[in-house]
Amino acid sequence: LKKCPNETASTFQAVINGKPMSGPRYTFDRWTLDCVRGTLVGEAGDIFLRPKSFEVLRYLIENAGRLVSREDVLGTVWADVT
C-alpha cells in the first residue's frame, strides 16, 4: 500500500454524501483510490463507486494490516445511521 502525494486537491473535488471529499490517493496492486475525485482508478480508467462502497474501501485501505471488525466498519462508515 502506497500513499500518493495529494497534488490535485485544489483542482478536483468530489462530493460524497453531500460533503466535499479531500485527501490522499492510495496505490495498491494495479489500482489507485483517489480520495479527492472519489474514484478507483485502474488500467482501464476510472471506476465511479457508490458512496458507501467508496467509504468502505477507503476505510479498509486506511486500516491495512489491521484486523477490523464488522462493528468497526459499521460504526465508521454508517455512523450517521441509528
Side-chain angles (χ1 to χ4, degrees):
L1 180 65
K2 178 182 169 191
K3 188 173 176 179
C4 297
N6 186 9
E7 68 270 355
T8 60
S10 61
T11 307
F12 296 102
Q13 187 175 49
V15 177
I16 303 292
N17 287 339
K19 300 176 203 167
M21 290 294 294
S22 63
R25 287 181 288 158
Y26 297 97
T27 300
F28 55 100
D29 197 24
R30 289 178 275 168
W31 299 96
T32 298
L33 184 69
D34 187 332
C35 297
V36 174
R37 295 178 48 213
T39 59
L40 181 62
V41 182
E43 293 174 357
D46 292 357
I47 298 172
F48 294 92
L49 301 172
R50 292 180 179 183
K52 290 297 182 191
S53 299
F54 177 85
E55 290 179 38
V56 168
L57 182 56
R58 180 178 179 164
Y59 180 78
L60 293 173
I61 289 171
E62 289 177 345
N63 288 281
R66 178 177 163 253
L67 180 62
V68 294
S69 69
R70 176 180 183 267
E71 289 76 22
D72 291 338
V73 175
L74 291 174
T76 301
V77 176
W78 283 273
D80 57 336
V81 177
T82 56

